[in-house]
């Protein structure tokens, strides 16, 4: 349902917060008030000045989804502001593109965590970055494009991907993977990429089908993870996820579990490096 007062206030504040140069218009010295004029927003959005004026006056007819999208573009809304604008206008919030680009800030943060196993991946489970220690911990070779770099796909269709996980933990991790993917599916049910991934997983894995039918939904943000490494033995870790809401990209960092020898074993792995390990297939 449309929130007319909220929509009117949001539109006015966004319009007044922009300068003509922000939208490609020439600056003039004859403006009596800050920001863009209503007529300018209307022209750029492809609607009549009268229609737009009524929106800012909390009256008139409801805007269509295409009009709201045009206003979000003209008013230079961020992804979060765009979602808010759609919600105020009472129209469906469009799904965002799956993130495949790591923004500079997150990339810099990941680069500074070279002493901790770190992996960056998107909502579909596509791995975008791993550091050397994460590769050494998981005995991982070079990431290959396509499904072979997808966390969910490898877990449910490549038995060797579970070799480093103690058998007692595998069922719990399978359930966590599916509930996390179910949360993404709920947000992106109309996205062909997530639908295709879920359908393919259901075809190739009976375990996935069983867990999917349970309809458990939960975004995974923290967990405990044990890794059985062939050289240094069992490493007990705390898994912490940082999720960027704008893109859905997650950075997973593994920290030594308190009261264990995990820190010493990670340091040994960091020194050894990845040269003697190759990815098990």
């Amino acid at each position: 349902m449309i929130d007319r007062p909220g929509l009117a206030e949001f539109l006015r504040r966004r319009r007044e917060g922009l300068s003509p140069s922000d939208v490609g218009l020439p600056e003039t010295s004859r403006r009596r008030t800050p920001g863009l004029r209503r007529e300018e927003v209307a022209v750029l959005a492809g609607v009549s000045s009268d229609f737009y004026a009524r929106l800012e006056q909390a009256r008139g007819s409801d805007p269509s989804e295409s009009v709201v999208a045009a206003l979000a573009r003209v008013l230079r809304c961020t992804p979060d502001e765009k979602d808010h604008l759609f919600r105020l206008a009472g129209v469906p919030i469009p799904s965002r593109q799956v993130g495949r680009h790591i923004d500079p800030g997150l990339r810099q943060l990941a680069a500074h965590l070279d002493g901790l196993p770190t992996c960056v991946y998107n909502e579909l489970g596509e791995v975008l970055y791993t550091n050397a220690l994460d590769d050494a911990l998981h005995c991982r070779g070079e990431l290959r494009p396509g499904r072979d770099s997808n966390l969910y796909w490898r877990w449910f269709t490549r038995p060797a991907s579970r070799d480093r996980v103690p058998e007692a933990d595998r069922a719990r991790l399978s359930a966590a993977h599916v509930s996390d993917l179910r949360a993404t599916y709920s947000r992106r049910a109309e996205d062909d990429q997530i639908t295709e991934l879920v359908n393919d997983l259901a075809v190739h894995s009976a375990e996935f089908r069983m867990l999917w039918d349970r309809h458990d939904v939960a975004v995974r943000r923290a967990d405990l993870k044990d890794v059985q490494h062939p050289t240094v033995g069992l490493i007990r870790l705390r898994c912490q996820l940082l999720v960027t809401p704008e893109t859905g990209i997650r950075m997973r960092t593994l920290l030594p579990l308190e009261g264990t020898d995990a820190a010493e074993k990670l340091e040994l792995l960091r020194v050894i490096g990845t040269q003697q390990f190759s990815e098990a297939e």
Side-chain angles (χ1 to χ4, degrees), residues 90-145:
V91 297
I93 299 174
S95 61
R96 301 178 186 176
Q97 292 295 313
V98 174
R100 290 189 171 89
H101 174 72
I102 306 174
D103 68 67
L106 187 62
R107 184 175 291 278
Q108 186 177 13
L109 176 59
H112 277 78
L113 294 174
D114 58 348
L116 295 170
T118 301
C119 173
V120 180
Y121 60 98
N122 63 19
E123 289 180 298
L124 294 184
E126 297 168 341
V127 176
L128 307 176
Y129 167 89
T130 59
N131 65 7
L133 187 53
D134 198 71
D135 292 337
L137 177 66
H138 295 95
C139 304
R140 182 192 295 120
E142 183 179 358
L143 286 172
R144 292 176 292 188

Side-chain angles (χ1 to χ4, degrees), residues 30-51:
R30 301 176 60 184
R31 293 176 180 267
R32 291 176 295 178
T33 57
L36 299 176
R37 298 188 178 101
R38 287 177 176 175
E39 295 79 7
E40 291 169 334
V41 174
V43 169
L44 291 170
V47 298
S48 72
S49 298
D50 186 54
F51 177 83

Side-chain angles (χ1 to χ4, degrees), residues 136-156:
L137 177 66
H138 295 95
C139 304
R140 182 192 295 120
E142 183 179 358
L143 286 172
R144 292 176 292 188
R147 290 279 172 84
D148 276 332
S149 66
N150 186 291
L151 296 175
Y152 302 122
W153 184 259
R154 290 188 59 77
W155 180 263
F156 286 105

